Amino acid sequence: MSEKETQYFIEAYEEKRAALPGAGGWLARRREAAMDAFREAGLPHRRLEDWKYTDLRQTLEKAAFAPAPAHEGAVVLPGRRSASAFASIDRHVLIFVNGRYRADLSQVAHLPKGVELHALADVVHEQWAKDLVERRFDDARQAENIVDLNTALMSDGACLRVRKGVKLDKPLHLLFVAQDAGASHTRNLVLLESEAEATIIETHVGEVASFTDIVTDIAIGEGARLNHVKLQDEASDAVHLATMRARLAADAKLSSFALTLGCGVSRGQSFVLFSGEGAEANIDGAYALRNKQHADQFCVIDHAVPACTSHTLFKGALDGKSEGVFQGKVIVRPHAQKSDGRQMTHALLLSRDAAMNAKPELEIYADDVQCAHGSTVGELSKDSIFYLRSRGIPEDEARRLLVLAFLDEALDLTPHDLARDALKLLVSEWFGEVAL
Amino acid sequence: MAAVKETVETVGEIEKYKYGFFTDIESEKAPIGLTEDTVRFISAKKDEPEWLLKWRLAAFRRWQTMTEPTWAKVTYPPIDFQDAYYYSAPKQTAKLDSLDQVDPKLLETYEKLGIPLTEQKMLAGVAVDAVFDSVSVVTTFKEKLAEAGVIFCPMSEAVRNHPELVKKYLGSVVPTSDNFYATLNSAVFSEGSFVYIPEGVRCPMELSTYFRINEKQTGQFERTLIIADKGSYVSYLEGCTAPQRDENQLHAAVVELIAHDDAEIKYSTVQNWFPGDEEGKGGVYNFVTKRGDCRGANSKISWTQVETGSAITWKYPSCILRGDNSRGEFYSIAISNGRQQVDSGTKMIHLGRNTTSRIISKGISAGRSSNTYRGLVSVHRKAENVRNFTQCDSLLIGDRCSAHTVPYIETKNPTAILEHEATTSKISDDQLFYCMQRGIGEEEAVALIVNGFCRDVLQQLPMEFAVEAQKLVGISLEGSVG
Amino acid sequence: MSMLEIKNLHVTVGGKEILKGIDLDIRAGEVHAIMGPNGSGKSTLSYVLAGRDGYVVTEGSVRFKGKDLLEMSVDERAAAGIFLAFQYPLEIPGVTTMTFLKTALNAQRKARGEEELDAVRFLKLVREKSKPLNVSDEMLKRSLNVGYSGGEKKRAEVLQMSLLEPALAVLDETDSGLDIDALKTVAEGVNALRSPERAMVVITHYQRLLDYIVPDVVHVLSRGRIVKTGGKDLALELEKSGYAEYGADAA
Ligand SMILES: Nc1ncnc2c1ncn2[C@@H]1O[C@H](COP(=O)(O)OP(=O)(O)O)[C@@H](O)[C@H]1O
Ligand SMILES: [Mg+2]
């Protein structure tokens, strides 16, 4: 398998492997194996069930991406508001340009004792990093296999370790800027030891034809808590592929919210594995798409042990010729009694040409469980619009109000108050620009 | 050209062989295995016209290029399609002489179902006829049906007497190339029912067919075709039972429904093929393609199914909602116990304007079974004002079974309103205790609660079927508690 | 002869001892009230009599009409004549109240070797029993207890009792959540069932119900023991003094 669309990646690997983090050690061997697997499988395509609605092979065939160049010197933040959406939040900021960490641009005030923050190259020799990178979740093999591409080529990333009982004082903001066209492969590693707490905010912006391939591997210890807020808003000819893999120990809690304003084609994958009882995961998101944007949310939650709770809500508004996808799966393993798994997805179609595909799955092997999913697709209620107009609100304004109200239910789940307000503002501005 | 000549010669030989057929009981079967000759044999055996043989052969050639679908959530050892018989006429010597020789467990089941003794005899393999109720109904009510202009007969008879109708509609809903099993069926189908309701006629009675698999090692491939012409109505009931056998039996039927303008077809199934024993030995592989085409405006097709049997069920009765304002319905109860595996659901393909569909699926898993709902609701770009409501509920009895829900919801038109809900639950100990405190025994309490869970679907069945189905629910779950 | 004879009954739930030696003797024709603070073990006693799982008898005996009650399964006890009106009646979606009543009645009749009632006779009987309890046909057609108000649930419990005609009826806080009119209706229903062949155990937290269902004997249950037994006046006494002296839980 060495067709055109995979060739760039294979060549990039051959050329750069000696210079990538971890050369000569376990990671080099791991990369080699990952590259072999990638070569064998190629890019995922429509005939694979997990990629039924997003054909990555076709996407990357159309827009072949050579590696993005290293960018030195000054960076012009993209004009879009997303770039500065979180500016007013007191936070640590790490800036990545074309996928590479720029210490000179970042602002990390001194961190509390017990918080370690490093670039990928500095931690690859550590056991915890190895554990995170090597771990597979396996339940959506077809979806997870694409992580091989990242493993083979990952060049940088933020690695955060918070020691037992320590609380990260303010949010850690990872700002990814695509400054030049091309592909970047980033790997973040997050380890929260027991009772630790942290909030991570992630922003992806760019005005160029970039291919962002980012994987975030997370382990949350007993009773620890991670809040994660992600905002993605990139160029219409950009491709975004993000995978989050999180393992939760007993009583751990993960709250993740992603706002996708999208790019050309974006796919956000979340894999959550409960490995200890009493843990809780909230994987939520909202998306607003227009023109020919395509966004796919893929989410697998594995209740491998009893008494865990997972809630998922994704809401989206689709305008223009955009296409939204939600694929979710809640698995309850044998003996994982008292599992509570809920999965909701709702989409509003705002234009004649928008389309939505949803596939919310349940896979249940235990009887004493509470599992449910729901899905709705439709347009704005004509009755509601009429009601608002009868109160003197112009039609455009009425539609805008209703769409925002619709998305608010999801946005309210953002696990950080200031970040939530920032996202809401952003969304209302986004709709200010759209004639509905 | 040499190959053609050779084939012709072989057919010639089979033709000759045919004459020994009626006397030599052992040769009533087509030779084991599946080749073009088998297809020719079946067609010749049924005295079919040339066009139908060609149709079968095209399907067969297509089938040879296809592979079995593997996407369903079922597992079974590979099927050797060459190690089965594809044609078998009733075989006198294999018949049992009296009910005494029939497995008592089977009789017990029939008894509980309230099937009359004469019918029990037929079902248990005592009777000689291979096709049951369809024949008797036809003969019993032939006059009444003929008066109304309704045609209800075995498929082979329809091919003889109404070739123009068969030719026009056969394969028009499920094309010969549709899927592995439908294509196989197209090549080798043997029996089945044909129904035609003329324009404006409301069929004066429910039509019903009982299917059974009788012979050992024999695949069963019926083909049913129902056409409701403009403004007509028909309710069709299908019951399935099979004797207990140690080895697996393949059942790959195709059902095609066509509803023209303002017509309505209601198709109900109570499927109770042998599910295999407690250890999963034996049982029917039920790989069935059922599809209805709401071809005309304001037409309606409604599928109701109660699935309690079969080792493996692979079945998705679907509706193509082509006509404007047409409506599709799917009501399903799928019960799995022991080691049964069910992967069933529906497809609602909305093509026309103002088309509506409703899906109510109730899956009950017990024992070590696996029960999957798989469904598609698809709205095409030009289908304005589509409405769909889907409710999928799963009930688990015990902690060794599993329940899965795999819905696909695809829409390309903003005026569609699609709602999908799914839940998973179990029978609570408190509910059981409450029932038992009122004096109801445990198994009866389970049956009562499960029937309550299924009520929305049971209500859709014709009266006499509903009673049978309710009893079946109880029987299917025996031994699932305690 | 005693209808129900409880001797030194000890019961644990989830490993914790809840009933700590109960003695109780109830004869046919008698109505006993059991009062006591929340958490004293009243519902536990009723569940043990009905045979609910998870209620483990560690010591003592219960005899019902001379037979060992603890040997019998839940439905056998019901067929033998024990009826429990639940403090929290269960909901069973999809099973209409009518179907449920018929299934229960016929199961019990069958267990007792009596002939099952056909649809017509059954319907007549239900109508006759429903009327005084204000249970409408519409209510009977709904799923059992699903969407019933608190009062409707309790009336449905009493309807079941009057239909099943038990020998021993145990009513667990049948008065809770009822307004005064509903309370009267329920009490009338219960009183109509009083007979020399039948015994009743009325469990309540408040004296109020006992104004309408006048008991022959009143017991006070506290921390798993019967701490006082007296006539109907005991209830009035309790009303005045409260449960404080019986160690009411702070709750
Ligand atoms: N399943 C259980 N496990 C442990 N304790 C229980 C359980 N059920 C009830 N209890 C305890 O038993 C005691 C008696 O409860 P109950 O019989 O319901 O009291 P009452 O009906 O008098 O209010 C309470 O302290 C309650 O907390
Ligand atoms: Mg109580």
Side-chain angles (χ1 to χ4, degrees):
Chain A
M1 177 73 59
S2 64
E3 283 153 22
K4 186 176 123 216
E5 70 277 2
T6 54
Q7 206 49 44
Y8 276 114
F9 300 121
I10 294 167
E11 279 166 17
Y13 175 72
E14 298 299 341
E15 197 178 302
K16 303 208 161 160
R17 58 176 164 188
L20 289 170
W26 68 269
L27 183 55
R29 288 189 298 279
R30 186 71 199 79
R31 286 183 193 274
E32 191 67 28
M35 199 54 195
D36 285 347
F38 174 73
R39 261 198 211 102
E40 176 73 26
L43 285 161
H45 49 82
R46 207 166 268 276
R47 289 186 307 282
L48 297 172
E49 182 65 22
D50 288 352
W51 296 89
K52 187 177 165 63
Y53 298 113
T54 301
D55 195 321
L56 194 64
R57 182 176 292 184
Q58 212 180 57
T59 302
L60 294 180
E61 197 174 8
K62 270 191 246 157
F65 291 99
H71 186 97
E72 315 285 339
V75 169
V76 188
L77 273 189
R80 44 188 84 205
R81 294 187 184 92
S82 294
S84 50
F86 302 115
S88 62
I89 299 175
D90 181 21
R91 68 213 199 277
H92 305 286
V93 189
L94 298 190
I95 296 187
F96 291 77
V97 179
N98 295 351
R100 279 173 205 83
Y101 176 52
R102 288 284 297 273
D104 55 328
L105 302 174
S106 302
Q107 299 162 18
V108 184
H110 72 267
L111 294 161
K113 195 165 173 290
V115 177
E116 295 155 30
L117 185 57
H118 297 287
L120 183 65
D122 300 329
V123 295
V124 289
H125 56 278
E126 289 185 32
Q127 186 62 37
W128 70 272
K130 182 167 190 267
D131 289 346
L132 277 177
V133 169
E134 293 205 319
R135 208 181 53 202
R136 276 198 68 105
F137 283 67
D138 240 28
D139 214 273
R141 208 175 267 274
Q142 292 174 355
E144 198 184 359
N145 279 346
I146 191 61
V147 170
D148 283 332
L149 177 65
N150 186 280
T151 303
L153 286 165
M154 60 194 191
S155 55
D156 213 334
C159 300
L160 174 71
R161 176 175 186 171
V162 184
R163 298 280 180 176
K164 189 169 179 216
V166 174
K167 192 174 165 188
L168 181 59
D169 54 340
K170 36 188 173 179
L172 172 64
H173 185 194
L174 310 177
L175 176 56
F176 294 88
V177 183
Q179 188 73 22
D180 303 289
S184 66
H185 306 271
T186 310
R187 186 73 150 248
N188 300 322
L189 304 178
V190 178
L191 171 63
L192 299 195
E193 294 184 4
S194 53
E195 307 293 335
E197 274 183 40
T199 296
I200 296 176
I201 300 175
E202 197 182 323
T203 307
H204 294 266
V205 284
E207 301 286 6
V208 295
S210 55
F211 170 43
T212 301
D213 163 26
I214 183 164
V215 175
T216 303
D217 282 324
I218 299 170
I220 308 177
E222 276 184 33
R225 182 183 174 131
L226 177 67
N227 296 320
H228 178 240
V229 178
K230 183 186 165 193
L231 165 62
Q232 189 247 332
D233 184 8
E234 292 167 290
S236 60
D237 47 1
V239 177
H240 183 92
L241 170 66
T243 302
M244 174 179 83
R245 300 189 291 186
R247 175 194 290 258
L248 276 69
D251 301 316
K253 184 170 175 184
L254 167 65
S255 299
S256 166
F257 184 87
L259 173 64
T260 303
L261 298 177
C263 54
V265 173
S266 64
R267 167 139 160 151
Q269 312 193 110
S270 307
F271 301 94
V272 174
L273 175 69
F274 291 115
S275 60
E277 296 187 18
E280 182 184 334
N282 300 300
I283 307 295
D284 306 304
Y287 49 97
L289 307 176
R290 55 187 151 191
N291 302 330
K292 286 184 162 176
Q293 288 185 321
H294 172 105
D296 183 341
Q297 330 284 333
F298 187 98
C299 174
V300 179
I301 303 202
D302 191 340
H303 288 256
V305 295
C308 292
T309 303
S310 68
H311 286 185
T312 296
L313 173 68
F314 277 89
K315 294 189 98 169
L318 303 166
D319 200 15
K321 294 187 167 178
S322 67
E323 188 171 40
V325 178
F326 174 84
Q327 297 188 78
K329 191 186 215 177
V330 174
I331 305 162
V332 177
R333 302 278 170 192
H335 312 302
Q337 301 293 11
K338 307 280 177 208
S339 291
D340 178 348
R342 250 153 249 271
Q343 201 181 57
M344 297 294 151
T345 172
H346 305 291
L348 266 185
L349 302 184
L350 300 176
S351 96
R352 293 269 352 142
D353 299 313
M356 176 69 199
N357 298 311
K359 186 187 169 202
E361 274 184 76
L362 294 175
E363 193 173 321
I364 313 291
Y365 298 91
D367 59 340
D368 192 7
V369 300
Q370 281 198 342
C371 287
H373 68 224
S375 164
T376 59
V377 187
E379 57 183 349
L380 282 173
S381 145
K382 293 198 172 69
D383 292 345
S384 307
I385 294 172
F386 173 72
Y387 182 81
L388 293 183
R389 291 182 66 193
S390 77
R391 295 293 177 267
I393 300 169
E395 172 150 10
D396 269 10
E397 183 60 19
R399 293 174 68 90
R400 214 171 78 91
L401 275 175
L402 291 169
V403 174
L404 291 175
F406 171 81
L407 292 177
D408 258 4
E409 189 200 355
L411 286 160
D412 279 336
L413 300 171
T414 311
H416 186 278
D417 290 350
L418 293 173
R420 181 198 58 219
D421 296 345
L423 293 182
K424 283 194 174 187
L425 187 64
L426 205 58
V427 170
S428 74
E429 284 169 353
W430 193 91
F431 281 101
E433 297 162 9
V434 187
L436 287 170
Chain B
M1 269 312 164
V4 174
K5 186 160 173 270
E6 199 178 291
T7 314
V8 171
E9 277 167 9
T10 317
V11 174
E13 269 169 40
I14 292 167
E15 286 294 313
K16 265 183 266 160
Y17 192 52
K18 193 179 109 180
Y19 296 101
F21 203 88
F22 296 100
T23 47
D24 184 1
I25 290 160
E26 283 312 305
S27 61
E28 276 178 336
K29 282 176 181 167
I32 197 162
L34 182 52
T35 61
E36 254 188 49
D37 292 341
T38 323
V39 176
R40 287 172 188 280
F41 180 97
I42 294 168
S43 187
K45 193 66 206 66
K46 296 191 154 287
D47 261 335
E48 285 176 356
E50 185 64 20
W51 70 264
L52 190 51
L53 173 63
K54 277 196 183 139
W55 192 85
R56 285 178 183 273
L57 287 172
F60 176 71
R61 285 170 199 140
R62 176 82 187 201
W63 180 74
Q64 285 179 305
T65 68
M66 296 169 94
T67 49
E68 284 178 73
T70 53
W71 41 260
K73 210 172 169 57
V74 296
T75 52
Y76 52 92
I79 299 172
D80 183 353
F81 289 92
Q82 295 305 336
D83 188 30
Y85 292 98
Y86 288 83
Y87 179 83
S88 166
K91 199 170 152 190
Q92 307 284 350
T93 50
K95 298 295 163 216
L96 305 171
D97 302 325
S98 79
L99 278 175
D100 302 343
Q101 289 165 266
V102 176
D103 191 304
K105 218 169 167 180
L106 197 65
L107 286 182
E108 207 178 294
T109 310
Y110 292 146
E111 191 121 347
K112 285 178 191 162
L113 281 174
I115 296 174
L117 196 70
T118 48
E119 209 165 317
Q120 282 186 37
K121 280 186 184 168
M122 291 197 289
L123 295 175
V126 178
V128 180
D129 279 310
V131 183
F132 303 127
D133 274 8
S134 57
V135 170
S136 55
V137 168
V138 170
T139 43
T140 320
F141 299 106
K142 205 160 201 154
E143 266 171 41
K144 208 168 165 192
L145 287 172
E147 237 168 69
V150 171
I151 304 169
F152 178 31
C153 63
M155 193 56 131
S156 44
E157 203 178 306
V159 170
R160 271 196 306 279
N161 300 341
H162 309 282
E164 68 305 333
L165 284 175
V166 177
K167 203 169 174 175
K168 181 169 172 194
Y169 290 105
L170 187 70
S172 73
V173 186
V174 180
T176 51
S177 58
D178 193 79
N179 70 70
F180 185 83
Y181 295 108
T183 306
L184 175 62
N185 174 288
S186 301
V188 301
F189 75 87
S190 45
E191 209 35 90
S193 302
F194 176 87
V195 176
Y196 175 80
I197 316 290
E199 192 169 333
V201 170
R202 204 182 157 83
C203 186
M205 67 197 62
E206 315 251 1
L207 304 181
S208 102
T209 304
Y210 258 99
F211 289 110
R212 63 179 261 276
I213 298 178
N214 186 35
E215 287 305 319
K216 228 177 140 156
Q217 233 185 320
T218 303
Q220 171 114 355
F221 307 93
E222 330 89 49
R223 184 111 197 169
T224 300
L225 179 57
I226 300 178
I227 303 132
D229 219 323
K230 289 179 184 164
S232 67
Y233 168 85
V234 62
S235 168
Y236 183 90
L237 319 176
E238 170 198 69
C240 315
T241 46
Q244 201 162 340
R245 300 239 185 250
D246 282 348
E247 87 280 354
N248 297 107
Q249 286 166 298
L250 178 62
H251 175 248
V254 171
V255 175
E256 296 178 278
L257 312 182
I258 296 115
H260 288 287
D261 288 358
D262 304 304
E264 178 176 349
I265 302 175
K266 191 171 162 61
Y267 194 106
S268 313
T269 305
V270 174
Q271 184 266 110
N272 186 29
W273 298 120
F274 180 54
D277 67 12
E278 290 81 352
E279 296 308 311
K281 199 166 158 50
V284 170
Y285 290 170
N286 195 29
F287 300 150
V288 170
T289 305
K290 291 184 167 177
R291 195 172 304 151
D293 187 355
C294 283
R295 214 164 273 184
N298 310 311
S299 57
K300 176 176 170 185
I301 288 179
S302 172
W303 298 99
T304 305
Q305 60 173 27
V306 179
E307 301 277 319
T308 63
S310 297
I312 297 175
T313 303
W314 180 99
K315 183 180 169 192
Y316 315 90
S318 304
C319 297
I320 299 168
L321 301 163
R322 204 184 300 274
D324 289 349
N325 311 314
S326 62
R327 178 170 175 82
E329 292 176 343
F330 175 75
Y331 297 99
S332 169
I333 297 171
I335 300 182
S336 57
N337 198 352
R339 304 254 180 175
Q340 281 175 275
Q341 304 175 59
V342 179
D343 194 300
S344 183
T346 184
K347 291 183 199 174
M348 294 290 173
I349 315 284
H350 292 264
L351 303 175
R353 301 163 67 91
N354 306 318
T355 50
T356 58
S357 61
R358 184 177 166 85
I359 300 171
I360 308 285
S361 162
K362 304 280 181 175
I364 298 109
S365 10
R368 293 174 171 227
S369 67
S370 153
N371 203 322
T372 302
Y373 167 83
R374 185 182 303 276
L376 167 69
V377 175
S378 156
V379 181
H380 285 238
R381 205 169 282 286
K382 290 188 179 139
E384 299 289 320
N385 296 316
V386 165
R387 299 288 177 267
N388 162 265
F389 176 77
T390 301
Q391 172 84 47
C392 291
D393 296 320
S394 305
L395 187 72
L396 293 112
I397 302 176
D399 60 2
R400 291 192 301 179
C401 54
S402 59
H404 316 295
T405 317
V406 191
Y408 297 78
I409 302 149
E410 305 176 354
T411 174
K412 290 192 165 66
N413 187 303
T415 59
I417 298 181
L418 313 180
E419 290 171 81
H420 172 101
E421 283 170 25
T423 64
T424 303
S425 59
K426 67 168 201 160
I427 295 182
S428 80
D429 294 343
D430 289 346
Q431 281 177 331
L432 268 183
F433 170 62
Y434 188 83
C435 291
M436 289 175 73
Q437 207 300 307
R438 297 299 184 252
I440 303 168
E442 189 167 16
E443 288 200 334
E444 197 178 355
V446 169
L448 185 74
I449 294 168
V450 172
N451 269 310
F453 174 77
C454 300
R455 185 165 172 230
D456 295 347
V457 176
L458 289 168
Q459 278 174 339
Q460 298 297 327
L461 286 168
M463 197 54 175
E464 57 277 27
F465 249 34
V467 175
E468 184 176 326
Q470 270 185 37
K471 286 184 186 161
L472 201 53
V473 167
I475 296 167
S476 313
L477 290 171
E478 267 175 18
S480 65
V481 287
Chain C
M1 193 192 83
S2 287
M3 163 141 355
L4 184 73
E5 200 178 7
I6 303 178
K7 283 203 175 122
N8 189 30
L9 182 68
H10 290 253
V11 173
T12 59
V13 184
K16 187 177 143 203
E17 182 162 74
I18 306 293
L19 297 185
K20 301 166 180 165
I22 301 276
D23 290 287
L24 204 56
D25 197 24
I26 300 176
R27 288 159 182 280
E30 291 179 349
V31 172
H32 289 233
I34 297 183
M35 303 184 70
N38 281 331
S40 57
K42 304 183 298 291
S43 291
T44 303
L45 179 61
S46 72
Y47 287 142
V48 174
L49 294 179
R52 190 181 193 173
D53 265 359
Y55 290 72
V56 185
V57 176
T58 52
E59 225 185 305
S61 66
V62 181
R63 299 193 77 77
F64 177 63
K65 295 195 210 161
K67 278 191 250 161
D68 184 352
L69 186 72
L70 302 178
E71 286 287 292
M72 297 157 78
S73 70
V74 180
D75 46 326
E76 281 168 1
R77 295 181 199 202
I82 290 200
F83 179 90
L84 170 60
F86 286 59
Q87 184 174 358
Y88 305 107
L90 264 293
E91 298 183 358
I92 307 188
V95 176
T96 65
T97 304
M98 193 69 106
T99 304
F100 182 78
L101 292 175
K102 186 169 176 211
T103 310
L105 182 65
N106 279 336
Q108 291 201 17
R109 293 180 69 101
K110 203 169 151 190
R112 291 193 292 259
E114 295 163 19
E115 182 204 352
E116 294 182 35
L117 288 191
D118 62 37
V120 179
R121 282 165 64 205
F122 172 74
L123 201 63
K124 193 162 166 275
L125 185 65
V126 171
R127 291 248 164 84
E128 181 189 308
K129 302 279 187 188
S130 314
K131 213 166 164 217
L133 286 162
N134 273 333
V135 173
S136 64
D137 269 16
E138 184 272 329
M139 217 174 121
L140 292 170
K141 278 185 203 145
R142 281 172 19 209
S143 291
L144 184 68
N145 292 326
V146 177
Y148 283 18
S149 68
E152 284 174 334
K153 281 185 182 168
K154 296 298 164 84
R155 293 209 309 265
E157 291 290 290
V158 176
L159 169 62
Q160 291 184 36
M161 175 169 77
S162 78
L163 196 69
L164 297 171
E165 302 185 312
L168 174 70
V170 181
L171 296 102
D172 190 1
E173 304 220 14
T174 302
D175 53 334
S176 66
L178 297 185
D179 62 31
I180 194 70
D181 292 331
L183 185 74
K184 279 185 194 162
T185 311
V186 164
E188 276 163 24
V190 173
N191 285 329
L193 283 168
R194 285 181 86 149
S195 88
E197 296 85 48
R198 187 168 289 138
M200 290 192 190
V201 176
V202 180
I203 293 174
T204 181
H205 186 74
Y206 304 103
Q207 184 271 337
R208 191 175 70 150
L209 177 68
L210 305 180
D211 286 343
Y212 299 95
I213 305 172
V214 182
D216 301 300
V217 189
V218 175
H219 308 275
V220 179
L221 186 65
S222 169
R223 292 180 174 150
R225 288 193 180 88
I226 288 178
V227 291
K228 199 161 188 182
T229 297
K232 58 176 185 274
D233 298 342
L234 180 54
L236 293 168
E237 225 171 88
L238 273 171
E239 179 79 349
K240 279 192 211 106
S241 58
Y243 289 112
E245 65 173 296
Y246 303 105
D249 293 344

